[in-house]
Amino acid sequence: MKSLLLSKSLLISFLQFFISLCLLFNAVSCEKEESILDLDEVAQEETDDEPDMESNDEPDTESNDEDESADDTASDEEQTNDCPDATGFVFEENNGIVSIEFENNNFPDGWVLKNDVADASGEGYMQWEGNASLGNPGNGMVVFPVRINTAGTYQFLWYSSYRKGDNGTEHNDSWLRFPDADDFFGRKGNGSVVYPKGSGKEPNPNGSSSDGWFKIYRSGNNNAFKWQASTSDNDGHDIFVTFSSPGVFLLEVSARSDFHAIDRLLLFQEDMNKNDSIEAADVFSQKVTCD
Ligand SMILES: [Ca+2]
Protein backbone atom coordinates (compact mmCIF):
# COMPACT_ATOMS: atom_id res chain seq x y z
CA MET A 1 0.00 0.00 0.00
CA LYS A 2 2.86 2.32 0.92
CA SER A 3 4.72 1.58 -2.25
CA LEU A 4 1.51 2.19 -4.26
CA LEU A 5 1.05 5.59 -2.62
CA LEU A 6 4.71 6.39 -3.24
CA SER A 7 4.39 5.44 -6.90
CA LYS A 8 1.25 7.56 -7.23
CA SER A 9 3.00 10.50 -5.58
CA LEU A 10 6.03 10.10 -7.85
CA LEU A 11 3.76 9.88 -10.88
CA ILE A 12 1.95 13.10 -9.87
CA SER A 13 5.28 14.86 -9.27
CA PHE A 14 6.58 13.67 -12.59
CA LEU A 15 3.40 14.84 -14.36
CA GLN A 16 3.59 18.24 -12.62
CA PHE A 17 7.23 18.55 -13.63
CA PHE A 18 6.39 17.54 -17.16
CA ILE A 19 3.49 20.04 -17.34
CA SER A 20 5.71 22.78 -15.92
CA LEU A 21 8.39 21.93 -18.43
CA CYS A 22 5.82 22.01 -21.19
CA LEU A 23 4.42 25.33 -20.07
CA LEU A 24 7.89 26.74 -19.78
CA PHE A 25 8.83 25.47 -23.18
CA ASN A 26 5.64 26.87 -24.75
CA ALA A 27 6.18 30.21 -23.12
CA VAL A 28 9.73 30.42 -24.38
CA SER A 29 8.63 29.21 -27.75
CA CYS A 30 5.85 31.83 -27.88
CA GLU A 31 8.16 34.60 -26.80
CA LYS A 32 10.63 33.52 -29.38
CA GLU A 33 7.97 33.51 -32.04
CA GLU A 34 6.73 36.94 -30.98
CA SER A 35 10.27 38.14 -30.87
CA ILE A 36 10.97 36.70 -34.29
CA LEU A 37 7.74 38.26 -35.57
CA ASP A 38 8.73 41.61 -34.15
CA LEU A 39 12.11 41.41 -35.78
CA ASP A 40 10.52 40.35 -39.02
CA GLU A 41 8.14 43.30 -38.86
CA VAL A 42 10.99 45.68 -38.12
CA ALA A 43 13.06 44.05 -40.81
CA GLN A 44 10.11 44.31 -43.16
CA GLU A 45 9.55 47.96 -42.26
CA GLU A 46 13.20 48.71 -42.69
CA THR A 47 13.37 46.93 -45.98
CA ASP A 48 10.20 48.73 -47.07
CA ASP A 49 11.67 52.09 -46.13
CA GLU A 50 15.13 51.58 -47.38
CA PRO A 51 14.32 50.75 -50.96
CA ASP A 52 12.03 53.81 -51.08
CA MET A 53 14.72 56.03 -49.72
CA GLU A 54 17.61 54.58 -51.61
CA SER A 55 16.13 53.59 -54.91
CA ASN A 56 13.04 55.72 -55.44
CA ASP A 57 12.99 58.79 -53.22
CA GLU A 58 16.63 59.60 -52.90
CA PRO A 59 17.55 59.39 -56.55
CA ASP A 60 14.53 61.58 -57.33
CA THR A 61 15.60 64.09 -54.72
CA GLU A 62 19.26 64.08 -55.50
CA SER A 63 19.27 63.82 -59.24
CA ASN A 64 15.99 64.56 -60.98
CA ASP A 65 14.15 66.79 -58.54
CA GLU A 66 17.15 68.89 -57.61
CA ASP A 67 18.19 69.28 -61.20
CA GLU A 68 14.68 70.35 -62.12
CA SER A 69 14.57 72.63 -59.11
CA ALA A 70 17.92 74.15 -60.06
CA ASP A 71 16.72 74.64 -63.60
CA ASP A 72 13.54 76.29 -62.36
CA THR A 73 15.46 78.57 -60.04
CA ALA A 74 17.89 79.63 -62.72
CA SER A 75 15.05 80.12 -65.14
CA ASP A 76 13.01 82.08 -62.59
CA GLU A 77 15.94 84.31 -61.80
CA GLU A 78 16.43 85.08 -65.43
CA GLN A 79 12.77 85.78 -65.92
CA THR A 80 11.98 87.72 -62.78
CA ASN A 81 15.25 89.35 -61.81
CA ASP A 82 17.24 89.81 -64.93
CA CYS A 83 14.68 90.29 -67.65
CA PRO A 84 11.82 92.66 -67.00
CA ASP A 85 8.79 91.45 -68.96
CA ALA A 86 8.68 94.65 -70.96
CA THR A 87 12.17 94.22 -72.43
CA GLY A 88 13.59 90.67 -72.29
CA PHE A 89 17.17 91.90 -72.05
CA VAL A 90 19.50 93.58 -69.60
CA PHE A 91 22.73 95.57 -69.84
CA GLU A 92 25.60 94.34 -67.64
CA GLU A 93 27.60 96.70 -65.46
CA ASN A 94 31.28 95.79 -65.53
CA ASN A 95 34.19 97.34 -63.58
CA GLY A 96 31.93 100.10 -62.27
CA ILE A 97 30.78 101.18 -65.74
CA VAL A 98 27.56 100.87 -67.73
CA SER A 99 28.04 102.03 -71.31
CA ILE A 100 25.12 101.82 -73.74
CA GLU A 101 24.50 102.84 -77.34
CA PHE A 102 21.22 104.69 -76.88
CA GLU A 103 19.84 103.37 -80.15
CA ASN A 104 20.40 99.77 -78.96
CA ASN A 105 16.79 99.40 -77.79
CA ASN A 106 13.19 99.33 -79.03
CA PHE A 107 11.62 102.75 -79.52
CA PRO A 108 8.04 103.97 -79.77
CA ASP A 109 6.95 106.20 -82.66
CA GLY A 110 8.47 109.66 -82.52
CA TRP A 111 12.06 108.56 -82.04
CA VAL A 112 14.00 108.54 -85.31
CA LEU A 113 17.35 106.85 -85.94
CA LYS A 114 19.82 109.24 -87.56
CA ASN A 115 23.36 108.71 -88.73
CA ASP A 116 24.59 111.97 -90.20
CA VAL A 117 27.42 113.04 -87.91
CA ALA A 118 30.90 111.60 -87.77
CA ASP A 119 31.25 111.34 -84.02
CA ALA A 120 28.06 109.42 -83.25
CA SER A 121 28.96 105.82 -82.49
CA GLY A 122 27.19 102.54 -83.17
CA GLU A 123 24.32 102.90 -85.62
CA GLY A 124 24.09 106.63 -84.97
CA TYR A 125 21.73 108.42 -82.57
CA MET A 126 18.03 108.71 -81.80
CA GLN A 127 16.25 112.03 -82.23
CA TRP A 128 12.82 112.87 -80.80
CA GLU A 129 10.61 114.18 -83.61
CA GLY A 130 7.27 113.77 -81.85
CA ASN A 131 5.48 116.51 -79.96
CA ALA A 132 7.38 118.25 -77.20
CA SER A 133 6.36 117.07 -73.73
CA LEU A 134 7.69 119.88 -71.60
CA GLY A 135 5.58 119.33 -68.49
CA ASN A 136 4.50 115.68 -68.81
CA PRO A 137 7.21 113.03 -68.54
CA GLY A 138 6.48 109.48 -69.66
CA ASN A 139 5.73 110.07 -73.37
CA GLY A 140 7.92 108.26 -75.88
CA MET A 141 9.38 106.25 -73.01
CA VAL A 142 12.32 103.89 -73.47
CA VAL A 143 13.45 101.51 -70.72
CA PHE A 144 17.01 100.24 -70.25
CA PRO A 145 17.28 97.50 -67.61
CA VAL A 146 20.74 97.54 -66.06
CA ARG A 147 22.23 94.71 -64.00
CA ILE A 148 24.35 96.33 -61.31
CA ASN A 149 26.97 93.91 -59.97
CA THR A 150 28.87 96.50 -57.91
CA ALA A 151 26.63 98.37 -55.48
CA GLY A 152 27.26 102.04 -54.92
CA THR A 153 26.59 105.54 -56.23
CA TYR A 154 27.10 106.17 -59.93
CA GLN A 155 27.26 109.39 -61.92
CA PHE A 156 25.08 109.53 -65.03
CA LEU A 157 26.02 111.15 -68.35
CA TRP A 158 24.63 111.09 -71.81
CA TYR A 159 26.22 112.08 -75.10
CA SER A 160 23.68 114.35 -76.68
CA SER A 161 23.09 117.22 -79.09
CA TYR A 162 20.33 119.60 -80.18
CA ARG A 163 19.52 119.11 -83.84
CA LYS A 164 17.43 122.16 -84.70
CA GLY A 165 18.30 125.87 -84.80
CA ASP A 166 21.33 127.45 -83.18
CA ASN A 167 20.09 128.19 -79.69
CA GLY A 168 21.61 125.73 -77.26
CA THR A 169 18.84 126.29 -74.72
CA GLU A 170 16.22 124.85 -77.10
CA HIS A 171 15.79 121.20 -78.12
CA ASN A 172 18.45 120.31 -75.59
CA ASP A 173 16.78 118.09 -72.99
CA SER A 174 14.89 114.87 -72.27
CA TRP A 175 13.46 113.25 -69.13
CA LEU A 176 15.36 110.72 -66.99
CA ARG A 177 14.21 108.51 -64.10
CA PHE A 178 15.49 105.52 -62.10
CA PRO A 179 12.20 104.30 -60.61
CA ASP A 180 13.58 101.50 -58.44
CA ALA A 181 17.02 102.82 -57.45
CA ASP A 182 17.70 103.54 -53.78
CA ASP A 183 18.42 107.19 -54.45
CA PHE A 184 18.42 109.55 -57.44
CA PHE A 185 19.64 113.10 -57.06
CA GLY A 186 21.49 116.07 -58.54
CA ARG A 187 24.63 117.34 -56.85
CA LYS A 188 26.94 120.29 -57.42
CA GLY A 189 30.61 120.56 -56.60
CA ASN A 190 29.71 122.77 -53.63
CA GLY A 191 27.63 119.96 -52.10
CA SER A 192 24.19 121.35 -53.03
CA VAL A 193 21.78 118.46 -53.65
CA VAL A 194 18.36 118.35 -55.36
CA TYR A 195 15.82 115.56 -55.65
CA PRO A 196 13.13 115.11 -58.28
CA LYS A 197 9.64 116.38 -57.57
CA GLY A 198 7.39 113.50 -56.62
CA SER A 199 10.21 111.66 -54.85
CA GLY A 200 9.07 112.94 -51.48
CA LYS A 201 12.49 114.53 -50.94
CA GLU A 202 13.56 118.16 -51.00
CA PRO A 203 14.93 120.50 -52.17
CA ASN A 204 13.72 120.16 -55.77
CA PRO A 205 15.43 121.59 -58.85
CA ASN A 206 14.60 124.87 -60.58
CA GLY A 207 12.29 124.39 -63.54
CA SER A 208 10.59 121.22 -64.70
CA SER A 209 10.49 118.04 -62.63
CA SER A 210 7.62 115.66 -61.95
CA ASP A 211 6.74 112.18 -60.70
CA GLY A 212 10.34 111.24 -59.90
CA TRP A 213 11.69 112.50 -63.25
CA PHE A 214 14.52 114.97 -63.76
CA LYS A 215 14.70 117.16 -66.82
CA ILE A 216 18.26 116.47 -68.06
CA TYR A 217 19.84 119.10 -70.26
CA ARG A 218 23.04 119.91 -72.08
CA SER A 219 24.23 123.50 -72.46
CA GLY A 220 26.25 125.52 -74.98
CA ASN A 221 25.49 126.82 -78.45
CA ASN A 222 27.90 124.48 -80.22
CA ASN A 223 25.60 121.68 -81.25
CA ALA A 224 28.30 119.01 -81.37
CA PHE A 225 27.47 115.91 -79.37
CA LYS A 226 28.67 116.44 -75.82
CA TRP A 227 29.03 114.43 -72.59
CA GLN A 228 26.84 116.39 -70.21
CA ALA A 229 23.82 115.67 -68.02
CA SER A 230 22.60 118.51 -65.82
CA THR A 231 19.43 119.34 -63.94
CA SER A 232 18.01 122.49 -62.27
CA ASP A 233 17.68 125.50 -64.61
CA ASN A 234 20.53 128.00 -64.41
CA ASP A 235 21.98 126.05 -61.50
CA GLY A 236 23.40 122.93 -63.13
CA HIS A 237 23.66 119.89 -60.87
CA ASP A 238 25.37 116.68 -61.99
CA ILE A 239 23.26 113.53 -61.90
CA PHE A 240 23.78 110.61 -59.50
CA VAL A 241 21.99 107.38 -58.74
CA THR A 242 22.55 104.99 -55.82
CA PHE A 243 22.11 101.21 -55.98
CA SER A 244 22.55 99.97 -52.41
CA SER A 245 22.78 96.34 -53.42
CA PRO A 246 23.41 94.42 -56.65
CA GLY A 247 20.41 93.75 -58.86
CA VAL A 248 18.55 94.78 -61.99
CA PHE A 249 17.36 98.38 -62.08
CA LEU A 250 15.50 100.37 -64.70
CA LEU A 251 16.90 103.43 -66.42
CA GLU A 252 14.00 105.27 -68.06
CA VAL A 253 14.21 107.99 -70.68
CA SER A 254 11.18 109.83 -72.03
CA ALA A 255 10.72 112.60 -74.53
CA ARG A 256 10.68 116.28 -73.58
CA SER A 257 12.08 118.67 -76.19
CA ASP A 258 11.75 117.83 -79.87
CA PHE A 259 15.00 117.48 -81.80
CA HIS A 260 16.97 116.56 -78.72
CA ALA A 261 19.30 113.78 -79.93
CA ILE A 262 21.00 111.11 -77.82
CA ASP A 263 23.86 108.91 -78.98
CA ARG A 264 25.08 107.17 -75.78
CA LEU A 265 24.35 106.63 -72.08
CA LEU A 266 26.98 106.21 -69.36
CA LEU A 267 27.00 105.33 -65.68
CA PHE A 268 30.27 105.23 -63.75
CA GLN A 269 31.02 104.88 -60.07
CA GLU A 270 31.26 108.31 -58.43
CA ASP A 271 34.80 107.81 -57.15
CA MET A 272 36.09 107.12 -60.65
CA ASN A 273 37.64 109.85 -62.77
CA LYS A 274 35.11 111.23 -65.28
CA ASN A 275 37.44 111.44 -68.28
CA ASP A 276 38.94 108.01 -67.58
CA SER A 277 35.41 106.61 -67.35
CA ILE A 278 34.39 108.16 -70.68
CA GLU A 279 37.47 106.61 -72.25
CA ALA A 280 36.77 103.22 -70.65
CA ALA A 281 33.17 103.44 -71.92
CA ASP A 282 34.41 102.69 -75.42
CA VAL A 283 33.99 99.10 -74.25
CA PHE A 284 30.21 98.82 -74.28
CA SER A 285 28.20 96.89 -71.72
CA GLN A 286 27.10 93.42 -72.74
CA LYS A 287 23.43 93.27 -73.67
CA VAL A 288 22.19 89.94 -72.31
CA THR A 289 19.04 88.62 -73.93
CA CYS A 290 16.94 86.28 -71.80
CA ASP A 291 14.54 83.64 -73.09
CA1 LIG B 1 24.91 105.64 -80.77
Side-chain angles (χ1 to χ4, degrees):
M1 189 64 187
K2 254 188 180 178
S3 90
L4 187 62
L5 282 172
L6 187 65
S7 296
K8 193 177 176 182
S9 171
L10 275 171
L11 184 62
I12 289 168
S13 295
F14 180 75
L15 281 172
Q16 282 176 338
F17 174 74
F18 182 75
I19 288 165
S20 298
L21 200 65
C22 254
L23 284 172
L24 184 65
F25 179 79
N26 280 340
V28 168
S29 172
C30 268
E31 274 181 19
K32 268 190 178 174
E33 279 177 11
E34 279 175 12
S35 172
I36 288 165
L37 277 173
D38 285 346
L39 286 172
D40 283 347
E41 281 174 13
V42 170
Q44 186 64 32
E45 282 171 8
E46 282 176 358
T47 46
D48 283 345
D49 283 345
E50 281 178 3
D52 282 347
M53 292 295 288
E54 286 176 2
S55 64
N56 298 328
D57 290 349
E58 284 190 359
D60 282 350
T61 304
E62 286 179 0
S63 60
N64 298 334
D65 286 355
E66 281 193 2
D67 286 348
E68 284 170 12
S69 160
D71 287 348
D72 287 345
T73 304
S75 174
D76 285 347
E77 280 177 0
E78 284 178 357
Q79 290 298 324
T80 57
N81 293 333
D82 294 344
C83 292
D85 290 342
T87 59
F89 59 80
V90 65
F91 292 94
E92 289 271 1
E93 173 261 311
N94 190 34
N95 292 328
I97 287 180
V98 181
S99 176
I100 299 172
E101 288 284 9
F102 184 65
E103 69 274 13
N104 190 9
N105 208 328
N106 304 309
F107 288 80
D109 289 347
W111 288 101
V112 178
L113 178 65
K114 308 285 280 185
N115 191 6
D116 56 6
V117 295
D119 64 344
S121 62
E123 296 179 36
Y125 61 90
M126 299 300 295
Q127 173 170 288
W128 176 248
E129 295 187 4
N131 293 328
S133 190
L134 302 182
N136 299 301
N139 295 315
M141 188 156 86
V142 191
V143 179
F144 297 82
V146 175
R147 184 192 284 128
I148 296 296
N149 302 302
T150 314
T153 295
Y154 289 69
Q155 184 169 351
F156 173 86
L157 291 175
W158 59 29
Y159 196 59
S160 82
S161 172
Y162 64 96
R163 307 306 295 169
K164 185 177 181 182
D166 54 10
N167 181 349
T169 64
E170 303 287 337
H171 316 291
N172 65 328
D173 54 58
S174 294
W175 296 104
L176 176 73
R177 183 171 71 172
F178 290 89
D180 43 17
D182 295 285
D183 206 1
F184 178 38
F185 55 95
R187 190 174 67 204
K188 290 181 76 170
N190 65 6
S192 167
V193 173
V194 292
Y195 300 96
K197 289 180 182 171
S199 67
K201 294 183 177 180
E202 292 184 327
N204 303 131
N206 300 332
S208 299
S209 180
S210 176
D211 195 25
W213 295 85
F214 274 140
K215 161 190 167 181
I216 306 292
Y217 64 85
R218 76 181 289 289
S219 52
N221 291 328
N222 178 339
N223 77 342
F225 278 82
K226 178 182 181 182
W227 285 110
Q228 182 189 350
S230 301
T231 200
S232 195
D233 294 357
N234 303 310
D235 187 27
H237 286 60
D238 295 332
I239 308 301
F240 296 88
V241 57
T242 300
F243 309 108
S244 297
S245 56
V248 172
F249 301 89
L250 303 182
L251 184 169
E252 297 175 336
V253 176
S254 68
R256 188 170 187 276
S257 294
D258 56 356
F259 295 96
H260 183 226
I262 304 172
D263 175 19
R264 299 172 60 178
L265 307 175
L266 173 61
L267 288 167
F268 60 97
Q269 289 205 306
E270 65 172 340
D271 57 355
M272 294 168 61
N273 176 274
K274 177 179 166 179
N275 291 331
D276 289 348
S277 300
I278 289 171
E279 201 169 310
D282 283 344
V283 178
F284 286 89
S285 298
Q286 187 182 5
K287 184 181 184 182
V288 179
T289 304
C290 308
D291 295 327

